[in-house]
Amino acid sequence: MADLDLNLERHIAASPQRVFEAWTRPQLLMQWWGPPGVTCPGALIDLRVGGPYAIANLTPKGTVWIRGEFEVIEPPTPDDPPHLSPPLLTRPLVP
């Protein structure tokens, strides 16, 4: 399988630190994850390079897990302007 990069961009009315926490703290991720009709009943995030993540997606047809491993973690710094923040997480796309 060829390497595949996925880059998502969205403007959010929150500080870079708050967005980082929303992606990296399971209890916060479970509050907002998923499109309409999909909920997140569980999430595991081992926030370190090489650490695993697993995010449950409960759909009307059952539960689908998104799993992977963190390759790079770049928390925002106080010097990062909110509109020019670096990518918060780099993670592989797992088939």
Side-chain angles (χ1 to χ4, degrees):
M1 176 181 232
D3 287 343
L4 178 63
D5 289 332
L6 175 64
N7 294 304
L8 304 174
E9 182 177 319
R10 185 170 187 173
H11 297 276
I12 300 172
S15 71
Q17 183 62 37
R18 187 70 178 134
V19 172
F20 185 80
E21 290 172 2
W23 274 96
T24 59
R25 297 172 79 190
Q27 67 275 20
L28 296 177
L29 183 81
M30 290 167 46
Q31 292 176 24
W32 65 267
W33 183 265
V38 176
T39 60
C40 179
L44 165 77
I45 297 173
D46 184 353
L47 193 59
R48 62 185 171 84
V49 173
Y53 62 84
I55 304 168
N57 293 268
L58 181 59
T59 73
K61 294 183 179 181
T63 302
V64 177
W65 285 87
I66 297 172
R67 298 177 189 272
E69 177 179 293
F70 291 104
E71 293 181 344
V72 176
I73 300 170
E74 297 178 358
T77 67
D79 297 332
D80 292 331
H83 63 285
L84 297 175
S85 297
L88 299 178
L89 301 175
T90 302
R91 57 188 182 153
L93 184 62
V94 179

